[in-house]
Amino acid sequence: MSYFLNSKDQIVQDSIDGFLQLCPNLCRLDGYPSTKVVLDRKRYELMDQNTPQGVAVVSGGGSGHEPAFAKLCGSGFLSAAVCGEIFASPSESSILTALRHTITASGALIVVNNYTGDKLNFGAALEKIKAETGYDARMVIVADDVALRSSSNVRSKVGARGLAGCMLVLKCAGAWAAQGRSLSEVEQMTTRVTESITTMGCAVSSCTLPGQKTKRILNEGELEMGLGAHGEPGACRQTMKSADEVVLEMVERVGCIGKYEDDQKVSPGDRVVILLNNLGSITQLEMGIIVSSTIKAVTHTLGARIERFYSGMFLSSLDMKGFSISLLRIKQGAEGDEVLRALDAPTDAPGWPHCTVQAPIPQKDFVVPLRTVSATRDETVERKKYMDTVYRVIVSACDSIIACSDLLNELDAAIGDGDCGDTYFIGATKVKESDSVKNAPTLSKALLEISNIAGEDMGGSSGALLKIFFVAFSSALHEDADVLSLKDISTGLQRGCEKMSYYGGAVLGDSTMLDALIPLSNAVQQAASTDGGLATAQQALKAAQSGAESTKHLVAKAGRASYVPENAQKDVTDPGSEAVVAIMRGIHDELHK
């Protein structure tokens, strides 16, 4: 695994200075390389003016967990974040320096995850600052990991690991400190939050430290449940399942139900807050799926009421491809409402989501009905017979495309991303399945329905270009005619090619599907002027084949292939043009039966 960096020895410093250039509300102490402390600028400046301040909230740990902890500094959140090297606890001296620049007579609350190095170094600094200043300082330890709990509910001597649940703890502590509460109040309320959180993580790949090989390799199709935030082995490995199944097991664990039941069991009707944390490399596409799976499992399996749902990257593990689910139990009544108000309290910390986060929105409230505009027409016997033929031709064209999908993928793999055949396969299959295409009263309407499928189901640039082509083709046809002439078809093809070229930017000779479409269109136009009849299909097929063959000797000037070196394009037929040939072959074969 390669990383974008300048110097392996300055990864953390360079990263901190990079994001601080975009965060005017934060600053850092001038103590590199040994002291890497990020501060809430406003608190630092007010302390410099000897202005009384409330309880300082300080946290930190090893780097590699961004945005934790430096990006959680800010008003209503952390007063200071102490950063260690990657996955290494910061030194006692750097923590002490952070405390010296944040603590006042109101005291300081240190919140750290349950890792030995962090507890020792933050603990030593806490005792020293108390001795130096006479000010009070307390420490809260977050141990929210449920992965290694035994069935008999026995905890080990060191306790559970601290994971992403710490983010909710820090948010509440920062909010209560900003309200001017005493250190004892902040400590007690924060401790109650800590005791109410459970977290479970999973991943399909471990993390890789810069300059090193991946610690542990998971097999393809393998999933690890309960691994640590530094890539430590998890509770078990299992075969990869669907998102719903993976999330369900994790929710059962954090909800402490079923075979994982213990004294923290979530009961139906309980109020909860969910934090879905991206551990590093989960795509946004996947996160959306996992959000949906989590909401379903929490509401249906636990029967709980989700009061707040946070989704994003909060405490990562470098490039680990995994996620964790944290569940915070919210008590009924005033005490629970106090926690929700703390989570909702304003903050300018850059690592916390700044959109309004409330309970998930039910699907019925964000899905609205489609509006359709359609015109009804009287169907004549002649038109019905004509449209039956049109539909058989469309199906034959789709079958031809489906049959050559592997070839299209092979061609695309040489000059693109290798999915051209899959894209056309999806489109052709959807067209065959569409009742709207099958029952279209006119060719114009059938082409419009096909254009919708191209744009909505095929996706990508191919789908968009074909949508444009078929919309333009459709708009050029006469709705009133029972049977369209060859001249009508020719006009539609020309219009489609023109619009595809206009919006896509390609012209004849650019090694795109137009190199087959334009010759095909020209052949139909010539046949229309001489009333070519059935021979038209054969002429159009030969023209398309000739055009596609020419792309082997062209240099792509448009489309994804234009980014590929010229030598890689040599002797490779453009897959889009080959798709045009397949479509025309299907049309030809049906008409010549």
Side-chain angles (χ1 to χ4, degrees):
M1 175 68 183
S2 298
Y3 280 88
F4 293 99
L5 49 86
N6 294 316
S7 167
K8 185 180 176 183
D9 297 330
Q10 293 189 183
I11 294 175
V12 178
Q13 296 97 302
D14 288 349
S15 178
I16 291 173
D17 283 357
F19 89 78
L20 284 179
Q21 293 178 72
L22 305 178
C23 301
N25 61 314
L26 305 183
C27 58
R28 71 165 174 85
L29 294 176
D30 186 10
Y32 281 173
S34 59
T35 299
K36 295 178 279 293
V37 174
V38 176
L39 301 169
D40 172 14
R41 181 184 290 274
K42 183 177 180 181
R43 184 182 182 93
Y44 175 79
E45 291 174 348
L46 289 174
M47 286 191 64
D48 213 29
Q49 300 164 15
N50 295 317
T51 303
Q53 295 291 296
V55 173
V57 180
V58 178
S59 187
S63 296
H65 299 301
E66 291 71 23
F69 292 88
K71 289 188 178 182
L72 300 179
C73 285
S75 61
F77 224 121
L78 291 184
S79 308
V82 194
C83 307
E85 292 299 319
I86 294 178
F87 292 172
S89 175
S91 66
E92 177 264 343
S93 62
S94 61
I95 299 166
L96 182 60
T97 300
L99 289 168
R100 286 170 178 160
H101 286 81
T102 52
I103 197 168
T104 66
S106 300
L109 181 71
I110 294 174
V111 181
V112 293
N113 273 332
N114 188 30
Y115 291 100
T116 302
D118 290 334
K119 289 195 297 182
L120 291 175
N121 290 336
F122 277 90
L126 179 149
E127 297 301 329
K128 190 168 288 188
I129 197 69
K130 288 165 64 176
E132 278 187 10
T133 64
Y135 296 149
D136 196 3
R138 316 272 179 90
M139 183 156 65
V140 171
I141 307 294
V142 181
D144 53 321
D145 185 15
V146 296
L148 301 178
R149 287 186 180 182
S150 67
S151 57
S152 59
N153 202 28
V154 176
R155 314 298 200 271
S156 69
K157 185 178 293 185
V158 296
R161 299 173 292 203
L163 297 174
C166 184
M167 304 300 102
L168 298 173
V169 177
L170 292 174
K171 179 62 177 70
C172 290
W176 288 325
Q179 292 171 6
R181 295 177 183 267
S182 69
L183 177 59
S184 292
E185 285 183 292
V186 177
E187 179 197 23
Q188 290 168 12
M189 296 170 77
T190 301
T191 299
R192 285 198 291 270
V193 172
T194 301
E195 293 170 345
S196 302
I197 295 180
T198 44
T199 298
M200 180 74 180
C202 75
V204 294
S205 69
S206 187
C207 51
T208 308
L209 274 66
Q212 299 184 23
K213 293 183 178 180
T214 303
K215 282 184 177 181
R216 295 177 304 105
I217 304 295
L218 274 71
N219 297 322
E220 182 68 28
E222 193 173 37
L223 171 76
E224 186 158 27
M225 282 283 191
L227 70 176
H230 311 98
E232 304 96 330
C236 64
R237 291 189 181 189
Q238 55 186 246
T239 302
M240 186 64 176
K241 304 171 185 173
S242 70
D244 280 349
E245 292 172 299
V246 172
V247 167
L248 177 60
E249 179 178 344
M250 295 173 71
V251 167
E252 288 177 343
R253 285 177 178 264
V254 296
C256 303
I257 66 168
K259 63 182 179 181
Y260 310 109
E261 182 175 337
D262 63 15
D263 56 338
Q264 287 190 299
K265 176 183 177 181
V266 173
S267 300
D270 284 356
R271 300 198 295 171
V272 299
V273 169
I274 300 295
L275 184 140
L276 176 61
N277 173 54
N278 188 338
L279 284 166
S281 294
I282 296 289
T283 64
Q284 291 302 299
L285 190 70
E286 293 167 289
M287 285 296 284
I289 297 168
I290 298 167
V291 165
S292 183
S293 297
T294 304
I295 292 171
K296 185 176 5 179
V298 173
T299 55
H300 295 172
T301 303
L302 297 185
R305 184 171 123 201
I306 302 175
E307 295 285 0
R308 303 289 185 272
F309 195 112
Y310 301 91
S311 174
M313 195 174 292
F314 298 93
L315 189 144
S316 65
S317 183
L318 291 174
D319 61 333
M320 183 182 291
K321 188 170 177 61
F323 64 94
S324 64
I325 299 174
S326 298
L327 184 148
L328 167 60
R329 295 147 181 81
I330 301 295
K331 293 185 177 180
Q332 301 294 340
E335 185 177 332
D337 293 341
E338 192 73 55
V339 174
L340 293 179
R341 282 194 292 272
L343 291 172
D344 294 342
T347 178
D348 58 5
W352 189 251
H354 292 283
C355 58
T356 302
V357 178
Q358 298 291 334
I361 302 168
Q363 188 182 58
K364 65 181 179 65
D365 291 341
F366 64 75
V367 177
V368 296
L370 291 167
R371 291 196 180 109
T372 58
V373 179
S374 60
T376 58
R377 296 176 55 87
D378 294 330
E379 187 174 53
T380 66
V381 174
E382 191 175 8
R383 181 183 295 128
K384 175 68 169 61
K385 182 179 179 181
Y386 176 74
M387 288 308 299
D388 286 345
T389 302
V390 166
Y391 184 67
R392 290 198 304 272
V393 168
I394 290 172
V395 170
S396 179
C398 290
D399 288 339
S400 182
I401 272 286
I402 291 170
C404 78
S405 59
D406 288 341
L407 171 61
L408 297 181
N409 277 339
E410 183 181 334
L411 293 172
D412 193 36
I415 58 172
D417 53 5
D419 66 349
C420 179
D422 294 339
T423 300
Y424 277 91
F425 181 93
I426 291 170
T429 303
K430 290 290 184 180
V431 168
K432 288 183 66 177
E433 294 173 350
S434 172
D435 288 336
S436 297
V437 174
K438 183 177 182 179
N439 300 319
T442 64
L443 177 57
S444 177
K445 286 289 191 294
L447 293 176
L448 276 181
E449 294 298 337
I450 292 172
S451 76
N452 291 332
I453 292 171
E456 299 301 321
D457 294 297
M458 289 180 67
S461 57
S462 294
L465 287 168
L466 288 174
K467 181 180 179 71
I468 290 168
F469 175 81
F470 285 119
V471 167
F473 193 160
S474 171
S475 65
L477 300 180
H478 297 294
E479 280 286 323
D480 296 332
D482 287 337
V483 177
L484 293 172
S485 69
L486 200 54
K487 185 176 180 181
D488 293 327
I489 301 297
S490 172
T491 301
L493 285 170
Q494 290 177 62
R495 184 77 59 82
C497 290
E498 288 168 3
K499 292 299 181 182
M500 182 183 284
S501 177
Y502 177 79
Y503 287 104
V507 296
L508 188 67
D510 282 351
S511 192
T512 69
M513 70 174 78
L514 283 173
D515 286 296
L517 262 179
I518 291 175
L520 183 158
S521 175
N522 291 340
V524 174
Q525 182 182 23
Q526 184 176 357
S529 66
T530 59
D531 192 21
L534 279 177
T536 304
Q538 189 167 359
Q539 294 165 11
L541 176 59
K542 287 182 178 179
Q545 290 172 328
S546 177
E549 182 70 17
S550 72
T551 62
K552 289 183 177 181
H553 314 293
L554 296 175
V555 176
K557 298 184 180 66
R560 186 167 292 166
S562 63
Y563 300 105
V564 177
E566 291 184 19
N567 60 337
Q569 301 177 37
K570 189 177 180 181
D571 295 328
V572 178
T573 304
D574 174 71
S577 66
E578 189 64 38
V580 172
V581 172
I583 292 170
M584 192 60 232
R585 183 182 298 112
I587 295 171
H588 170 273
D589 292 349
E590 178 61 32
L591 292 177
H592 282 77
K593 279 185 176 179

